[in-house]
Amino acid sequence: MPIDAKLPYDDGNIFARILRGELPNKTVMESEHSLAFHDINPLAPIHVLVIPKGAYVSWDDFADQASDAEIADLTRMVGKVAVAVGADTQGYRLLSNVGKRAGQEVAHLHVHIFGGAPLGPMLAS
Ligand code: 5GP
């Protein structure tokens, strides 16, 4: 990936501020290493974000730098949240945008969980 396609980690990003308690959030689930909360601008009836508490900008950064405990915790939380919010009963979609081309707005790794309605094609054409 060209270097300018990547976003740098910035401690002032919105999710870092949520993790520090500087901004409110509607928490769905919290664990030692991860936090799940409702997206402020939901794009589906169910739209939850799952983030690591550590300062990771992207999935590749997380896979390279995070501990096995952090990776297991986030992975398990995604599945548990999908069940907790009822997304598993009708099917759901996981999405993680990485970098500018993918439209990543917040430079702190997050996994979107979408559900609660038919989700349409995988990518807009
Ligand atoms: P991205 O485009 O980076 O994959 O997604 C960022 C997501 O963060 C968007 O869906 C946006 O609605 C959500 N978001 C941005 N600011 C806030 C906020 O302050 N609180 C919450 N809960 N979600 C936010």
Side-chain angles (χ1 to χ4, degrees), residues 8-115:
Y9 193 84
D10 169 8
D11 274 339
N13 77 70
I14 286 169
F15 297 165
R17 296 186 65 198
I18 285 175
L19 287 166
R20 288 196 296 267
E22 295 169 6
L23 294 174
N25 75 94
K26 292 185 180 174
T27 298
V28 175
M29 197 175 288
E30 183 167 10
S31 65
E32 182 181 0
H33 297 298
S34 313
L35 179 69
F37 51 96
H38 292 283
D39 196 289
I40 202 168
N41 182 26
L43 299 176
I46 295 171
H47 187 174
V48 178
L49 302 169
V50 185
I51 67 173
K53 291 184 174 177
Y56 304 104
V57 70
S58 65
W59 194 272
D60 50 286
D61 179 31
F62 186 59
D64 188 48
Q65 300 293 327
S67 67
D68 289 355
E70 292 174 291
I71 292 170
D73 191 270
L74 183 90
T75 304
R76 290 211 169 90
M77 183 174 284
V78 169
K80 288 179 184 173
V81 167
V83 172
V85 299
D88 62 315
T89 58
Q90 293 181 312
Y92 60 96
R93 180 172 293 160
L94 306 180
L95 177 74
S96 188
N97 291 316
V98 175
K100 294 175 185 172
R101 272 194 161 178
Q104 183 177 6
E105 292 173 5
V106 181
H108 183 114
L109 172 63
H110 47 287
V111 177
H112 297 259
I113 302 175
F114 297 108

